[in-house]
Amino acid sequence: MTSLMLRVAAAESLTPLVKRFRFEHPQGAALPLFSGGAHVVVEMPDGEVLRRNAYSLISDPQDGSGYEIAVRREDGGRGGSRFMHGRVQPGDQLRISLPLNLFALDLRARKHVLIAGGIGITPFVAQVRQLLRMQLPFELHYAARSRAEAAGLKLLPDVPQIHVHISDEGDHLDLGGILSGQPLGTHVYTCGPEGLITAVAEAGARLGWPKTVLHSEVFQAPPPGRPFAVVLARSGRTIEVGAHQSLLEALEAAGVEIDWSCRGGACGRCETQVLSCHGRIEHHDHWLSEDDRSSQSRIMPCVSRFRGETLIIDR
Amino acid sequence: MTIRFNDETFRDDYSFRNSAEAIRRFPFPFDKDDYMYSVNMEPHGTGGRAGSVFEKRFDVDEHYVAEMRDRAITLAGDPLRCQSLPHMELAGWDLLELIMQCKAEDYPELFQLHRDGDRWHWINRPLGIEQRFTFLDPTTLPCGPLEYITRQAQGDFAVLDQREGNLWMDAGMVTSQADWSLDFDIGMNFFEWHAPVPKAAEMGIFQRALKFLLAVQQGAPSRRLNWTMTVNPRLDTSPENYHLWGPEKRTITPENVGAKQYLRVELQSFWRLPRSNALAFPIRCYLIALEDLVTVPKWARRLHRVIRDLPDELADYKGFAVNRQIIIDYLAQFDDGKPTSPGIFADD
Ligand code: FES
């Protein structure tokens, strides 16, 4: 994973729960540009633990002067967002991976329809800038509970293509209405809670849209679960995975070299062969094929867990 | 470092020659005495072994000017060798920036790039080109950005769009290919354009290679070497022109095999492009006559063993089955059976 040590240039509250952070190169060097929808992974040295969380970039993809992210504080979460909110100050230095895009615009589209729920607005902030610059037809629908909670309002430009739906004000997303009447060749991108993504997929299916024009990104943190043990075939060691730890984090803590990129079950980098499995792998990724999943021959350590007697992996 | 550019041809009288220096730095592709089809990737980028073709990101060598002249001839006869589907223009600009920036940084005495916001000024001394243009404005270049920059960069270039968990051959400049056609492959996905490779498909190699490529990150390019055999130093061995080069395979004799039979090595690299998220796939071709290759004893021994022990279907697939025995007999003279050192580089 290629990364850069960057300086926190600014930290600002957008809403009571969402903070924006800006990172710049300590010597002022230009940062690599990126495409709308890309994310970076931020490393947080939190005492004994090294936390790593992925965040969508919300700054202008064509502006290499800095990277910006928006972090929502998850009080019941694993601690990464609390660390960002409570501990990170301007002037601090953090290690940030180079951008990677697993949620890119399909530039063949005749039109782009972007649908965001809550903090799922973040990848679209950069995409909107890209679409405006390339003068491509699009519309964005942004659903939030209340204006006070809608961090995106401070991040989006004031253009007629953007429609805000505040449910407290009685304005709910009408997916059927949004999707019907779009020109042939439209692509739809959804980011937000799992329920929203399912609803868009269902509305699309009802209207006969091909699956390949429906794109989505679930914002997934590694789900907690029961602690479990894993045997590492190469060293013969057994390691314990804590309830709030991912298998990937446990491997890293044990000093095992393992490749990763998204830490959210989407990029495929951490894919690991399972040599023996007596029990059930709880697959939470969006990467493995149905065959790999049901045969329990592979596991994605960044999000997936295990329940049962023994799991031996090729690490 | 100064490079003397050869005045040479890759067709008709085939005056192409490798200098002693070019032979020494040739990317010999076999790191062991036996060959298995594989997709062994390694990191590419600055800091490769000094003097080797891996030292710079886009290697420029003594054949640069002549190769660009040969590309222009091929394009004049067949403009479809360079194509870019409409959604790939941004990727073309990404590639233009990548190549200009790398060349200007790696070969400052040959290339210069001055940027003032979007107003760029490019100087290519070996080709005598000076161009002022506006980045991302195609009307300020004589042709599209992909064609513009790849007329000034050795090797073929495929530009792959990434979507639906696959890679799509949606743009490219292909004039020095080992028997494949951009016009045929354009718009195909990774599995479609690889379809004819024998054996490897069963090994699941392609699935793994695709997964690797989908995850190539910005700033972390990778590379691999591939190889085949070509009669005469011909860059354009395209299916479209098979009638021109196919019959030349029949001209190999035990007397001329050393001079006319070439090992053809492709240095393939993979680069994530920033604005478009596309994957650039440069395929740089290096040619060496067997009589030049055998001046390096380690390579002579090893190439003999590889060609001798190669499965028949691979020799068929690579298109040199008809001359295989003549090649083996020629190389056998230089193989005394001694062990070879590991790795691809010549012994000092
Ligand atoms: S790190 Fe991306 S799938 Fe696990």
Side-chain angles (χ1 to χ4, degrees), chain A residues 248 259-271 287 300-302:
Chain A
L248 176 62
D259 207 8
W260 52 266
S261 174
C262 67
R263 303 181 82 86
C267 74
R269 270 283 163 115
C270 67
E271 184 175 321
W287 173 261
M300 308 307 287
C302 60

Side-chain angles (χ1 to χ4, degrees), chain B residues 309-321:
Chain B
D309 303 337
L310 197 71
D312 288 338
E313 62 269 28
L314 271 171
D316 257 334
Y317 170 67
K318 291 183 182 282
F320 64 90

Side-chain angles (χ1 to χ4, degrees), chain A residues 45-58:
Chain A
D46 186 2
E48 292 280 275
V49 222
L50 183 61
R51 302 187 187 284
R52 294 187 172 101
N53 279 10
Y55 296 104
S56 296
L57 287 169
I58 59 168

Side-chain angles (χ1 to χ4, degrees), chain A residues 28-79:
Chain A
L31 304 179
L33 302 182
F34 57 96
S35 47
H39 69 264
V40 292
V41 173
V42 179
E43 287 193 3
M44 302 164 236
D46 186 2
E48 292 280 275
V49 222
L50 183 61
R51 302 187 187 284
R52 294 187 172 101
N53 279 10
Y55 296 104
S56 296
L57 287 169
I58 59 168
S59 44
D60 183 350
Q62 292 263 45
D63 177 3
S65 68
Y67 289 155
E68 294 179 16
I69 59 172
V71 179
R72 188 189 143 95
R73 197 178 76 222
E74 306 290 350
D75 288 321
R78 298 163 346 109

Side-chain angles (χ1 to χ4, degrees), chain B residues 183-199:
Chain B
D183 193 39
F184 184 73
D185 286 359
I186 192 106
M188 286 189 181
N189 71 33
F190 186 82
F191 297 106
E192 293 165 345
W193 86 67
H194 274 114
V197 180
K199 270 198 162 178

Side-chain angles (χ1 to χ4, degrees), chain A residues 1-2 32-35 62 98 100-101 104 106-108 130 134 212 269 271 287, chain B residues 87 90 136 161 163-164 170 211-212 214-220 274-277:
Chain A
M1 193 75 196
T2 325
L33 302 182
F34 57 96
S35 47
Q62 292 263 45
L98 287 193
L100 183 79
N101 199 342
D106 187 329
L107 294 177
R108 297 169 311 158
Q130 181 179 347
M134 293 176 80
T212 50
R269 270 283 163 115
E271 184 175 321
W287 173 261
Chain B
H87 63 281
L90 187 61
L136 296 180
D161 195 21
R163 51 174 204 269
E164 296 162 28
D170 285 350
K211 285 183 174 185
F212 179 90
L214 291 173
V216 166
Q217 268 191 294
Q218 261 201 80
R275 298 171 186 77
S276 59
N277 199 42

